Amino acid sequence: MHELSVPTPEERAALVRAGDGPALALPPAAGQPVEFQQQIQPLFEKHCVKCHGPEKQKGGLRLDRKADMLGGGDSGEPAITPGKSAESLLLARITST
């Protein structure tokens, strides 16, 4: 079985700076704090929870509870990095090809 190589947050940040990171252009960082329950959670519910929620956890990852996002999935690395979105594994995964 092929083992997934997960880049460290520092490696992901370096890839983004080098232009070899996420395939999609990311918007600039928010100029104000992001309201997770109002801005992010609805997106997860619409696009992610079917496969990463209470009934199914692809890759061992749940995106319906903050503690599970911080605990990460099968990789063991947190899916999100609060306050450092460019270093978040979740962002790297959803923006890669």
Side-chain angles (χ1 to χ4, degrees), residues 7-10 12-13 77-81 84-92:
T8 66
E10 294 79 18
R12 282 194 301 278
E77 183 178 349
I80 60 170
T81 307
K84 299 180 180 181
S85 60
E87 295 178 14
S88 294
L89 180 60
L90 179 63
L91 186 62

Side-chain angles (χ1 to χ4, degrees), residues 4-90:
L4 179 64
S5 174
V6 178
T8 66
E10 294 79 18
E11 290 170 331
R12 282 194 301 278
L15 288 171
V16 171
R17 284 192 303 273
D20 294 328
L24 301 176
L26 300 176
Q32 57 192 5
V34 174
E35 295 293 330
F36 180 82
Q37 290 185 343
Q38 288 79 29
Q39 296 173 284
I40 305 300
Q41 190 172 19
L43 294 172
F44 284 174
E45 289 173 5
K46 182 176 180 181
H47 299 286
C48 307
V49 172
K50 180 178 178 183
C51 294
H52 300 284
E55 296 179 21
K56 182 177 182 182
Q57 296 89 42
K58 288 179 80 171
L61 179 62
R62 280 185 76 162
L63 295 175
D64 63 319
R65 299 189 306 199
K66 183 178 181 179
D68 292 316
M69 288 183 251
L70 292 171
D74 292 344
S75 73
E77 183 178 349
I80 60 170
T81 307
K84 299 180 180 181
S85 60
E87 295 178 14
S88 294
L89 180 60
L90 179 63

